[in-house]
Amino acid sequence: MSERRRARLRLEISREAARLFWEQGVAATSGDQIAEAVGLSTRTIWRHFRSKESCAEPIVMQGVVTLMSVLRSWPRQSSLEDHLATELAGFRHDTEKLPVDLADEMLAMKMIRLADTEPALRTAWLMACDQTERELCAIIADRLERPADDLEVRQHAAAAAAVVRVLEEHIGAAVLAGADVTEFTDVAAVSLRFARAIRTATGGVVGDPVA
């Protein structure tokens, strides 16, 4: 099986597992039920995942895929505020270009919210955040022209990743609680919020254009 096909299958399994976890709870969901929902054998499920809870990992990662996709394409001559606002606004006006399906993002929000009371799902979310931090290391290292394992680069990446985690949790919780989400549908305002928080967390080091 090719890596791309394997990734697609893992995401398909993850979607069904996430739906079951949200509808009936993690404890009440079995590997057999996940397999039945996907139309696969239980043995196949265990070939791709180490536990039923780990089935949530691919869909949980979808919660940050769009943001990371935008950050990976951050031009050196643009500020973080300008780049986020431009790229995220573009996705809003052309949803077909979104790196992640909106339904997957909603499922990711649900799993992140459920992770508050489900330690195993919390592990899945924190693993996604760890991957985010690793990618931010590469992005920040490039902008600062330093190695990715440089201590200062790693500290800035950890701070920026923490911002992403906290804001994603905050936004997801508000959306799922049925709160007024007007502030979260304003792309420019959300972009500015993420950019300013990352600037603050990194002491202003990450955010400006670089030569």
Side-chain angles (χ1 to χ4, degrees):
M1 181 181 293
S2 69
E3 190 60 34
R4 181 175 296 182
R5 184 180 173 190
R6 181 174 181 273
R8 284 201 303 265
L9 180 57
R10 279 174 53 84
L11 184 56
E12 182 181 349
I13 293 169
S14 192
R15 286 188 184 110
E16 296 304 324
R19 290 190 183 103
L20 288 169
F21 289 160
W22 184 255
E23 290 170 4
Q24 60 190 37
V26 177
T29 300
S30 67
D32 290 339
Q33 288 176 317
I34 296 170
E36 182 179 357
V38 186
L40 298 171
S41 68
T42 304
R43 181 179 296 180
T44 300
I45 300 296
W46 301 142
R47 278 206 297 266
H48 290 277
F49 295 95
R50 65 188 179 278
S51 66
K52 68 177 183 181
E53 293 87 358
S54 69
C55 290
E57 290 172 8
I59 203 69
V60 164
M61 188 62 196
Q62 301 303 288
V64 293
V65 163
T66 298
L67 179 62
M68 294 313 300
S69 174
V70 170
L71 288 174
R72 281 193 293 270
S73 65
W74 182 10
R76 298 178 65 80
Q77 68 272 19
S78 296
S79 70
L80 183 56
E81 290 84 352
D82 288 345
H83 179 60
L84 287 182
T86 300
E87 292 300 308
L88 293 178
F91 288 145
R92 183 180 181 184
H93 292 115
D94 190 354
T95 56
E96 291 184 1
K97 291 184 179 179
L98 273 169
V100 176
D101 187 275
L102 292 176
D104 282 351
E105 285 206 357
M106 183 57 69
L107 267 178
M109 283 185 188
K110 289 178 177 179
M111 291 303 96
I112 293 168
R113 188 74 181 92
L114 199 56
D116 285 347
T117 55
E118 294 284 353
L121 293 187
R122 187 68 180 172
T123 298
W125 172 225
L126 293 178
M127 287 182 68
C129 294
D130 180 70
Q131 179 61 32
T132 298
E133 183 178 328
R134 291 173 186 273
E135 292 196 37
L136 283 167
C137 259
I139 294 166
I140 294 171
D142 177 68
R143 295 188 75 81
L144 298 183
E145 297 183 335
R146 296 185 183 182
D149 61 355
D150 178 86
L151 178 59
E152 186 175 348
V153 168
R154 292 183 61 195
Q155 289 174 330
H156 292 321
V163 164
V164 173
R165 176 181 63 78
V166 171
L167 285 179
E168 288 285 348
E169 290 175 352
H170 173 72
I171 292 170
V175 170
L176 294 174
D180 181 2
V181 296
T182 304
E183 63 175 309
F184 306 129
T185 56
D186 184 336
V187 175
V190 171
S191 300
L192 189 60
R193 188 171 191 172
F194 270 94
R196 283 180 172 171
I198 289 173
R199 274 185 183 275
T200 299
T202 60
V205 173
V206 179
D208 287 335
V210 293

